[in-house]
Amino acid sequence: MWKGKFSSSIIIFFLILCSTANSIVKASFEDEIDIKRSDFPEGFLFGAATSSYQIEGANLEDGRSLCNWDVFCQIKGSIANGDSADIAEDHYHRYMEDIEILHSLGVDAYRFSISWSRVLPRGKFGGVNQAGILFYNKIIDNLLSRGIEPFVTIHHFDYPQELEDRYGGWLSPLMQEDFIHFAEICFQSFGDRVKYWCTINEPNLVSEFAYERGTYPPAHCSPPFGNCSTGNSDVEPLIAVHNMLLGHAKTVKIYRERFKSEQSGVIGIVIHSFMYEPLTEDKLDKEAADRALAFNIAWILDPVVYGDYPPEMRRYHGSELPKFASEERIILRDSIDFIGINHYATLYAKDCIYSSCICNDSICTKGSDRAIRGFVYTAAEQDGVPIGEPTGMPRFFVVPRGMEEIVEYAKKRYLNKPLFVTENGYSSPQNQVEDYHHDVKRINYLKSYLAFLAQAIRNGADVRGYFLWTLMDDFEWSNGYSVRFGIYHVDRQTLNRTPKLSASWFRNFLSNRSPNYVESSNAISFMNKDVSMAQSE
């Protein structure tokens, strides 16, 4: 009897020791990272990502019309510091310089988006703007001439304001047909050279910020989420996503029927993807973390893989959640060739079905006790201790293990569908002046997240590529220019691009040099030499 108790104690002690050792190893793994390009499979795409509205500027040049974000930026208090993207990074005039920067880094691919207002200024209500077509043709051709694969997002938040004025944008089924028309123009104009397409960027995030919190155009919301002049935060996000999903599926059907055989491209959708961990070991919080994943990630991916919304949402939303007709489920099912995930951070999740949830700080989400939030309270702290190191975004804390966990979640739920990490990056804290000559925290962030991504691939995840967000400091939506994700600093007065230390690190990583090798003494001059050459051309 005593011997059995002793054996049990030894086993328990051994398990505790293993658990502690594993925690120590994981902690040190996040601190001391040895990651190389050769740790990734042959043919794996490495690139950088941007979006049209965030960098192009030239908002009324060469036939481009006002878009929803142009109008939103004019509303006082909508954007931090009263910033706007009228000029942004002036990529419209400096695209050759920026392509040379990409080439100097040694990227395989460049993810960018097409400005709807530049190509179709009035949507279906007007003609194609040939100046816009020419602009993107020049970008695509110059990328290809330098061996850089174009990875094109059709819709990344911005669309002609006329579509909002006429029928309410994504709250109307009419928007589906306008989006399909836009996508067809893109396939016809660029599809002979573009082999990677993303239909819509982050429909889950757009629905939350534009129709629940009211911090993105068209600024719809209702209490307790916000005090907008119009909106219904419990219902409108569901309607907007429903229309985006159907617009996506119908577009993919057209691409596969009319363009794929000749153009041989692949097409997917991009989601914003926090990882969620239970706030406590309580079973209810574990269920809340699973529910948070379903209400954010599966909300978008279940329909485009399996043809319907996740059962977790059906259970709690009831009649508020729109229904797909039988023919819609057919075209939705398997309407992606790959999954695109934008992953930056991990949050804690707490149950709000059986527990009281009160939002009493600046970084929690109001309305956690509502179905639209999945009855989940999400937070970045546990008993006052942050889940990771803070960054320049209030809810983006550095938790590298989340990269492996989110990829593993997608692998299991979606039968290891091919996946691209379409965005991942670090924003410097806003309350300090960024030393862009020595942005070591950004480098450590990238190294650690890449290491966990490599681990997920070793565990069998079919990940095909990784895109760093972002090439250069840009217009970060409602945060304006106060948030800086770029590996290039952009001077707001001259718009000159200056490489940060992270740009030199990324270039060395892509050339498979030692992960700790950074040409700190001459990185700036080397990169500026490339820029000078581009400008002289």
Side-chain angles (χ1 to χ4, degrees):
M1 190 74 172
W2 177 86
K3 184 178 181 181
K5 287 183 178 179
F6 179 78
S7 300
S8 299
S9 299
I10 290 292
I11 292 171
I12 292 169
F13 174 77
F14 178 75
L15 290 174
I16 293 172
L17 184 64
C18 288
S19 175
T20 303
N22 184 59
S23 298
I24 293 171
V25 168
K26 180 165 281 190
S28 63
F29 182 60
E30 294 186 17
D31 294 334
E32 300 295 332
I33 303 299
D34 181 16
I35 185 68
K36 303 181 293 298
R37 182 173 186 159
S38 55
D39 292 328
F40 293 83
E42 190 72 25
F44 189 91
L45 292 181
F46 276 103
T50 65
S51 86
S52 57
Y53 192 74
Q54 292 178 270
I55 64 170
E56 282 182 7
N59 70 330
L60 288 177
E61 287 190 40
D62 295 339
R64 181 191 179 279
S65 68
L66 287 175
C67 75
N68 56 332
W69 272 92
D70 293 323
V71 174
F72 184 67
C73 288
Q74 294 170 10
I75 301 172
K76 186 177 181 180
S78 297
I79 311 297
N81 304 314
D83 292 336
S84 80
D86 293 355
I87 298 173
E89 277 51 60
D90 197 28
H91 177 70
Y92 188 73
H93 299 111
R94 297 177 180 234
Y95 69 92
M96 284 297 294
E97 175 184 346
D98 296 333
I99 290 172
E100 286 301 331
I101 288 173
L102 287 163
H103 181 57
S104 76
L105 289 169
V107 299
D108 307 303
Y110 173 48
R111 180 180 174 229
F112 64 98
S113 70
I114 307 292
S115 167
W116 197 333
S117 298
R118 201 175 294 286
V119 170
L120 288 170
R122 301 188 61 208
K124 290 184 69 176
F125 304 101
V128 176
N129 179 27
Q130 292 303 322
I133 299 294
L134 176 63
F135 172 65
Y136 293 110
N137 272 329
K138 288 188 290 187
I139 288 178
I140 292 166
D141 290 343
N142 277 286
L143 288 171
L144 290 171
S145 71
R146 288 158 178 78
I148 302 171
E149 197 74 40
F151 202 103
V152 177
T153 303
I154 298 171
H155 174 45
H156 193 129
F157 295 0
D158 55 310
Y159 55 82
Q161 177 64 27
E162 182 165 348
L163 307 186
E164 184 67 37
D165 294 338
R166 279 181 179 265
Y167 51 70
W170 285 114
L171 291 179
S172 169
L174 296 174
M175 190 68 158
Q176 297 175 33
E177 300 307 314
D178 247 301
F179 175 69
I180 293 165
H181 176 58
F182 174 40
E184 282 187 275
I185 297 299
C186 290
F187 298 148
Q188 291 166 3
S189 303
F190 316 123
D192 58 327
R193 289 150 293 153
V194 174
K195 305 306 175 188
Y196 296 93
W197 293 100
C198 304
T199 53
I200 301 174
N201 183 74
E202 300 180 330
N204 53 338
L205 186 143
V206 172
S207 69
E208 178 183 348
F209 285 5
Y211 300 100
E212 181 183 309
R213 298 192 200 182
T215 55
Y216 281 12
H220 285 204
C221 69
S222 59
F225 300 95
N227 294 296
C228 304
S229 60
T230 187
N232 184 330
S233 297
D234 294 305
V235 175
E236 286 189 356
L238 303 174
I239 296 171
V241 164
H242 196 74
N243 285 319
M244 283 188 258
L245 287 171
L246 289 173
H248 156 85
K250 293 172 183 177
T251 293
V252 173
K253 183 174 186 291
I254 288 172
Y255 181 76
R256 289 173 173 174
E257 290 176 352
R258 292 179 45 199
F259 298 98
K260 187 176 177 67
S261 60
E262 290 187 9
Q263 298 181 357
S264 303
V266 291
I267 192 164
I269 197 168
V270 174
I271 59 165
H272 183 268
S273 53
F274 279 112
M275 184 59 202
Y276 297 93
E277 297 179 354
L279 181 65
T280 71
E281 290 301 310
D282 188 276
K283 177 185 175 183
L284 292 176
D285 285 352
K286 291 178 180 179
E287 291 174 353
D290 290 339
R291 202 160 59 247
L293 288 165
F295 273 68
N296 287 277
I297 297 170
W299 182 16
I300 309 302
L301 294 183
D302 268 28
V304 299
V305 175
Y306 301 119
D308 204 355
Y309 290 116
E312 296 95 327
M313 293 187 75
R314 287 280 180 216
R315 176 180 178 185
Y316 292 104
H317 270 303
S319 60
E320 289 179 348
L321 191 62
K323 289 182 169 58
F324 296 114
S326 57
E327 62 272 16
E328 291 172 338
R329 288 197 296 272
I330 291 171
I331 64 168
L332 272 164
R333 190 178 302 122
D334 200 28
S335 62
I336 52 171
D337 299 314
F338 65 85
I339 294 168
I341 65 166
N342 295 346
H343 176 71
Y344 295 89
T346 298
L347 292 171
Y348 289 122
K350 177 183 182 294
D351 172 70
C352 295
I353 298 175
Y354 303 100
S355 308
S356 174
C357 292
I358 301 173
C359 179
N360 54 13
D361 63 55
S362 61
I363 58 175
C364 64
T365 303
K366 295 179 180 178
S368 298
D369 56 351
R370 310 287 274 260
I372 195 67
R373 289 284 92 213
F375 299 106
V376 178
Y377 172 93
T378 58
E381 294 184 354
Q382 182 186 59
D383 298 326
V385 179
I387 193 171
E389 185 178 345
T391 70
M393 293 288 281
R395 290 166 67 82
F396 285 13
F397 286 71
V398 181
V399 188
R401 65 181 179 272
M403 175 65 86
E404 181 182 357
E405 292 168 351
I406 198 69
V407 170
E408 185 67 19
Y409 174 83
K411 182 181 84 171
K412 289 181 177 178
R413 187 155 185 145
Y414 304 109
L415 309 177
N416 210 11
K417 176 77 73 174
L419 183 149
F420 288 89
V421 177
T422 38
E423 288 181 24
N424 172 248
Y426 176 88
S427 59
S428 303
Q430 297 183 46
N431 59 353
Q432 66 185 51
V433 177
E434 181 183 32
D435 181 2
Y436 56 84
H437 293 292
H438 200 67
D439 60 333
V440 174
K441 288 188 176 182
R442 179 172 288 106
I443 295 171
N444 290 339
Y445 176 100
L446 296 172
K447 286 165 61 176
S448 58
Y449 274 73
L450 282 167
F452 276 99
L453 179 61
Q455 181 61 44
I457 294 170
R458 285 192 291 272
N459 291 340
D462 187 7
V463 184
R464 305 287 181 90
Y466 170 93
F467 290 85
L468 178 152
W469 185 270
T470 178
L471 181 63
M472 55 192 158
D473 294 337
D474 61 7
F475 178 81
E476 281 294 337
W477 308 112
S478 56
N479 292 293
Y481 301 100
S482 64
V483 170
R484 303 173 300 278
F485 278 95
I487 58 172
Y488 273 74
H489 169 76
V490 178
D491 185 279
R492 292 314 312 157
Q493 300 302 314
T494 65
L495 300 181
N496 289 340
R497 284 86 158 119
T498 304
K500 303 178 186 180
L501 193 64
S502 54
S504 183
W505 174 83
F506 194 47
R507 176 169 51 84
N508 291 331
F509 169 80
L510 294 177
S511 65
N512 213 31
R513 295 184 184 180
S514 165
N516 297 317
Y517 175 81
V518 178
E519 297 175 348
S520 57
S521 60
N522 63 356
I524 302 298
S525 61
F526 179 89
M527 296 302 233
N528 281 339
K529 180 181 177 182
D530 290 334
V531 171
S532 298
M533 290 172 62
Q535 289 173 332
S536 65
E537 292 176 2

